[in-house]
Amino acid sequence: MVTFVVLANFTDQGIRSAKDSPKRAEAFKKMAETFGITVKELFWTQGRYDIVTILDAPDEFSAMTLSLSLGALGNVRTESLRAFSVEDMTKVVGKML
């Protein structure tokens, strides 16, 4: 599995219907499942980003497909960050010269 941190901001359309955001989050989780992705955490946040989500995806292609599908709905714009666990990072630094 590949872990991603997804940072999201409401679009104008999304903020106008912010009251529906919890329902949209549930729909997002179901959409993610169709791509084999697990939504581990989803938080609404204050500051630069409106929503922070942690995902486990089978591969980068699945994550990209989910991201494009979500963006096409028009409620949020996302920025996805590939995340590495301590085990992953140990392997990475173990290969350093």
Side-chain angles (χ1 to χ4, degrees):
M1 293 298 262
V2 183
T3 302
F4 288 89
V5 176
V6 180
L7 308 172
N9 282 312
F10 289 122
T11 61
D12 289 343
Q13 172 183 308
I15 198 66
R16 280 193 300 272
S17 58
K19 286 195 246 183
D20 296 331
S21 188
K23 287 188 271 185
R24 289 196 306 255
E26 288 306 312
F28 169 71
K29 289 176 184 178
K30 289 179 183 167
M31 178 192 294
E33 288 175 6
T34 67
F35 300 111
I37 296 172
T38 301
V39 177
K40 292 176 70 176
E41 299 283 351
L42 190 149
F43 300 102
W44 286 265
T45 55
Q46 295 178 320
R48 183 173 175 183
Y49 296 97
D50 298 315
I51 301 167
V52 176
T53 308
I54 311 296
L55 308 174
D56 273 342
D59 52 50
E60 286 85 1
F61 293 100
S62 299
M64 182 67 164
T65 304
L66 176 62
S67 179
L68 290 171
S69 298
L70 177 63
L73 297 174
N75 294 305
V76 293
R77 296 208 193 300
T78 62
E79 179 178 345
S80 299
L81 307 170
R82 171 67 163 90
F84 294 87
S85 68
V86 69
E87 293 85 9
D88 293 336
M89 196 59 187
T90 299
K91 290 177 189 174
V92 169
V93 299
K95 294 179 181 183
M96 291 176 67
L97 300 178

